[in-house]
Amino acid sequence: MKMSKMFVQTLREYPSDAEVISHKMLGRAGFIKKLAPGVYTYQPLMWKVLKKIENIVREEMDRAEAQELLMPFVQPKELWEESGRWEVYGKELMRLKDRHDRDMCLGPTHEEIITSVARDGLKSYKQLPVNLYQIQSKFRDEIRPRYGLLRGREFIMKDAYSFDLDEAGLDKEYENMARAYKRIFERCGLDTKMVQSDSGAIGGSVSHEFMVITDTDAGENDVFYCNDCDYSANSNHAVSNLPEAVVDGKDYFKETKIIDTPNTHSIEELCKFLNIPASIILKTLVYIVDKKPVLALIRADKTVEETKLMNAVGGIDIRIASSAEIAELMAEHGFEAVPGFIGPMKDVKIIADETVKDMKNFVVGINQTDKHLVGANLEDCLICHPEALAEGSHEILRSAQNDIEFTDIRLVERGEFCPQCGKPLQVTKGIEVGNIFKLGTKYSKPMNAVYTDINGKTHPYVMGCYGIGISRTAAAAVEAHYDEYGIKWPIAIAPYHVVIVPVNIKDELQMKVANEMYEALKSAGIEVVLDDRDERAGVKFKDADLIGFPYRVTVGKTINEGFVEYKVRETGEQEKYTPQEAVDNLIKNIL
Ligand code: ATP
Ligand code: MG
């Protein structure tokens, strides 16, 4: 391709709304053009990258014996009602009506559609197992579309769905897909970690994510991993063993009583006032899960992991309550406490982290401003009555423990111990580029998608689903391969392999050599750009670095001595070669 004919506009500045490297670079180098928030045109350079990623994905999926199809992007409500997700999916699902007033949606994912396709086509055990996939644009009305292609509203995904006779079949296919994913990301030139994760709204029991590990701000996930064994997990799923800490307040509190704790609105203030470690305070947080209040109890030196809490309640939407909502909750239950003094109460769902069970003689809020209960224990005191408090004491409710559900809702922290081998856990940021889920019968059962076994009995298929964000993978590659001057595309997904830069297009010899090399590389099957623009060399070099061609060959004055300059973008390494040597080297390194 001749640069003078290429449809590409590099910019002097980064896009003003770009926060992360890949968004900045892809915008400035002319790969993407924003149409609306989270909606982009993939310009020719970007489209070449995306097609290369798609092809790698396609080759590896085909190699793993999955079959490609293409399902409609617009989907009818009825199928979503069958699965039960029309009501629960929330605002990410872009709903619309057709001219007959029928409800439709833009496909954010395709479990419902593929399950309906399968149930019409896969009737006998003899036809299973099958794995079907597609590569297609999805639409999700993300609450915060940001970071360019990393979190768009319209984005390209590869989604695959497997149908098996039983769990054993699914386990095998899950492993098969994990292997395919490993090859895909390796071929794309990306280092990924396969980590355990939460199964989220898609549901199912087991899932893993493939994370590009990055030190840039773009990593939206915290990944905990162990250097001594293979444990690694997304923070929404990670568990740990805790280092020893004081969890028994016996040295601080000899008896159980209500004391004045004026103006202790934060844990720090309370610790300071009572001169105690946070680990003997039981903190009560108010969340709203699917519109209902939930109290989360946790040791005050630890943090609630919201996805774990949401799953514990069985919800699909969670947020911390506003002060107005807390005030309302208090009023409803006859209390007047302000945040900082909230405690467990009756008739509200209470989830406690399981480490709370180890706490003894602790400090806890009792829904009374400027007061706390100290020397408290789970078995004797947890749920307070306003009437009892009014009398200046607290009612001891032996049934308290029955009202509290104990489970793991704790966010793991660096330095806590690996649940597998006990060594300290490390943490890093990651970008999720793909995931694999064991769905089981989550969709096949409600949608009555069944096969007939050898005895004529019907069973729901045992399903798995497997996603890869094609456009996100491209952006993640930029996050992992760049420098201050621009992108450093891994060779397998670079839009072009080589750029040839004649320094002065008016110099006949330079242009002749550049053209000859251009033709030689093209006919060898190398994707090459000839920068034949009448621009200063500095401008061309800048663009070459910004766009991220893996190799640059400069034909300048040294051609009078028979040499060109050969530069590797990734390492910055430079060599002087004859044009023939340069061509030979490129062919050897690229093909
Ligand atoms: P996330 O937690 O990042 O929102 P997800 O769990 O919603 O991702 P899936 O529904 O499993 O993701 O989609 C499969 C893949 O599609 C993800 O692994 C990711 O690579 C990609 N993906 C998901 N949402 C987006 C988005 N808004 N923009 C770009 N790619 C996305
Ligand atoms: Mg999502």
Side-chain angles (χ1 to χ4, degrees):
M1 186 78 207
K2 301 258 173 69
M3 195 75 153
S4 58
K5 295 271 182 313
M6 258 170 85
F7 183 69
V8 55
Q9 295 91 36
T10 56
L11 310 175
R12 275 172 193 279
E13 306 286 339
Y14 294 127
S16 57
D17 62 339
E19 295 169 69
V20 296
I21 291 293
S22 58
H23 188 185
K24 288 181 178 170
M25 298 275 178
L26 291 172
R28 185 169 162 200
F31 283 72
I32 54 175
K33 181 144 181 52
K34 181 163 143 184
L35 180 65
V39 180
Y40 292 88
T41 296
Y42 309 121
Q43 306 270 53
L45 283 174
M46 191 74 239
W47 189 233
K48 277 184 75 85
V49 172
L50 294 172
K51 278 191 295 185
K52 288 191 176 183
I53 298 174
E54 281 187 18
N55 282 339
I56 291 172
V57 169
R58 198 168 268 129
E59 279 174 28
E60 293 301 336
M61 291 302 288
D62 290 347
R63 188 207 301 269
E65 303 208 308
Q67 300 167 60
E68 187 172 1
L69 48 47
L70 185 60
M71 289 177 272
F73 172 56
V74 178
Q75 311 181 358
K77 166 183 161 187
E78 288 68 28
L79 287 174
W80 286 77
E81 282 180 330
E82 280 190 47
S83 72
R85 285 209 293 184
W86 185 258
E87 291 304 325
V88 299
Y89 205 98
K91 289 196 169 166
E92 260 184 41
L93 187 65
M94 184 87 162
R95 297 158 212 251
L96 46 131
K97 279 189 193 291
D98 69 10
R99 62 166 70 200
H100 305 292
D101 219 26
R102 278 189 286 248
D103 288 304
M104 319 278 283
C105 64
L106 302 184
T109 176
H110 277 67
E111 282 79 10
E112 282 76 5
I113 317 307
I114 197 77
T115 305
S116 82
V117 168
R119 78 180 162 195
D120 292 339
L122 299 171
K123 308 233 180 212
S124 157
Y125 71 96
K126 289 185 195 154
Q127 296 170 286
L128 298 175
V130 166
N131 187 335
L132 301 169
Y133 78 96
Q134 63 173 352
I135 297 177
Q136 183 197 44
S137 287
K138 300 281 190 251
F139 195 94
R140 293 183 185 176
D141 203 357
E142 297 274 356
I143 184 163
R144 280 193 74 191
R146 57 174 185 172
Y147 295 175
L149 299 193
L150 285 174
R151 185 167 296 284
R153 292 197 296 165
E154 184 176 318
F155 59 96
I156 304 175
M157 197 204 286
K158 183 283 298 178
D159 44 330
Y161 307 87
S162 66
F163 303 87
D164 273 277
L165 295 173
D166 51 25
E167 292 287 337
L170 171 60
D171 291 350
K172 226 170 110 191
E173 187 56 18
Y174 193 79
E175 293 302 320
N176 183 32
M177 283 294 107
R179 282 193 300 274
Y181 273 38
K182 214 166 154 262
R183 278 197 302 267
I184 286 168
F185 295 120
E186 266 171 27
R187 282 186 59 187
C188 289
L190 290 175
D191 240 346
T192 52
K193 242 185 203 317
M194 172 168 149
V195 313
Q196 296 176 16
S197 72
D198 166 63
S199 314
I202 291 190
S205 49
V206 176
S207 72
H208 286 86
E209 291 165 344
F210 287 74
M211 295 278 187
V212 171
I213 300 305
T214 166
D215 55 3
T216 67
D217 298 337
E220 290 188 300
N221 299 271
D222 285 323
V223 175
F224 288 91
Y225 66 98
C226 178
N227 276 332
D228 292 80
C229 73
D230 65 355
Y231 183 76
S232 60
N234 188 322
S235 57
N236 63 23
H237 195 76
V239 292
S240 66
N241 297 327
L242 293 181
E244 290 279 338
V246 180
V247 291
D248 186 344
K250 67 178 181 315
D251 294 339
Y252 301 90
F253 307 109
K254 300 285 174 250
E255 55 178 316
T256 311
K257 61 176 178 185
I258 294 172
I259 60 164
D260 289 333
T261 54
N263 299 318
T264 54
H265 296 275
S266 69
I267 295 297
E268 295 73 49
E269 284 165 341
L270 186 58
C271 285
K272 211 162 153 209
F273 182 79
L274 294 173
N275 198 19
I276 54 168
S279 55
I280 59 165
I281 301 173
L282 179 60
K283 179 165 67 172
T284 308
L285 293 150
V286 187
Y287 282 91
I288 306 291
V289 180
D290 296 356
K291 303 193 178 132
K292 288 207 193 79
V294 173
L295 300 182
L297 306 188
I298 190 155
R299 246 171 70 176
D301 60 330
K302 296 292 157 198
T303 306
V304 169
E305 209 300 310
E306 295 187 358
T307 305
K308 289 182 178 179
L309 176 62
M310 183 178 76
N311 290 345
V313 183
I316 56 159
D317 181 57
I318 187 168
R319 61 185 172 76
I320 195 98
S322 66
S323 5
E325 284 164 331
I326 294 176
E328 196 181 314
L329 179 73
M330 288 295 123
E332 218 172 89
H333 291 263
F335 298 115
E336 278 177 14
V338 298
F341 303 92
I342 311 297
M345 64 185 81
K346 269 176 58 152
D347 305 323
V348 181
K349 184 143 192 95
I350 304 181
I351 309 273
D353 184 60
E354 56 198 9
T355 59
V356 169
K357 278 189 182 157
D358 301 329
M359 297 177 73
K360 301 265 177 322
N361 303 303
F362 51 80
V363 179
V364 62
I366 48 170
N367 302 313
Q368 223 190 0
T369 301
D370 290 345
K371 296 209 185 294
H372 277 88
L373 179 66
V374 300
N377 282 289
L378 276 181
E379 59 276 15
D380 57 29
C381 65
L382 267 188
I383 297 189
C384 305
H385 273 198
E387 313 85 63
L389 284 172
E391 285 159 22
S393 71
H394 60 281
E395 180 167 330
I396 295 171
L397 267 192
R398 300 247 169 234
S399 66
Q401 289 218 61
N402 300 334
D403 294 336
I404 300 177
E405 199 180 309
F406 290 87
T407 185
D408 171 37
I409 56 167
R410 178 172 56 87
L411 178 69
V412 170
E413 284 164 34
R414 185 201 298 269
E416 293 174 359
F417 302 124
C418 174
Q420 277 180 195
C421 77
K423 296 280 163 41
L425 285 174
Q426 315 292 319
V427 62
T428 180
K429 296 261 178 226
I431 301 170
E432 177 199 324
V433 284
N435 55 33
I436 55 179
F437 285 88
K438 288 188 185 175
L439 292 174
T441 56
K442 184 177 158 75
Y443 295 93
S444 49
K445 226 183 203 159
M447 293 185 68
N448 196 27
V450 298
Y451 68 91
T452 310
D453 71 13
I454 197 162
N455 302 313
K457 258 188 79 182
T458 59
H459 307 270
Y461 318 121
V462 181
M463 291 172 55
C465 77
Y466 317 91
I468 289 181
I470 302 284
S471 42
R472 185 183 283 181
T473 298
V478 178
E479 295 289 338
H481 299 272
Y482 73 96
D483 64 12
E484 58 189 306
Y485 305 110
I487 306 170
K488 297 175 165 186
W489 288 109
I491 191 84
I493 61 171
Y496 291 90
H497 301 130
V498 184
V499 60
I500 299 174
V501 182
V503 169
N504 177 3
I505 62 162
K506 298 193 177 100
D507 182 305
E508 258 177 47
L509 181 61
Q510 287 184 21
M511 274 319 274
K512 179 170 168 286
V513 173
N515 266 311
E516 281 166 6
M517 291 181 73
Y518 176 63
E519 293 302 333
L521 290 171
K522 261 205 319 194
S523 55
I526 285 180
E527 292 169 278
V528 53
V529 169
L530 176 64
D531 194 346
D532 58 342
R533 292 176 300 169
D534 189 7
E535 287 281 1
R536 281 181 296 114
V539 171
K540 298 190 196 184
F541 292 159
K542 255 203 171 132
D543 280 349
D545 281 350
L546 184 60
I547 291 171
F549 299 98
Y551 295 95
R552 187 182 87 199
V553 177
T554 309
V555 189
K557 280 194 185 129
T558 55
I559 194 61
N560 297 320
E561 284 96 58
F563 296 108
V564 297
E565 183 202 86
Y566 175 101
K567 190 170 178 199
V568 184
R569 179 77 181 90
E570 179 67 43
T571 58
E573 177 195 333
Q574 286 189 29
E575 295 282 351
K576 263 188 179 176
Y577 285 137
T578 64
Q580 189 58 50
E581 281 169 345
V583 168
D584 291 346
N585 255 291
L586 289 167
I587 293 175
K588 190 178 90 210
N589 290 336
I590 295 167
L591 297 179

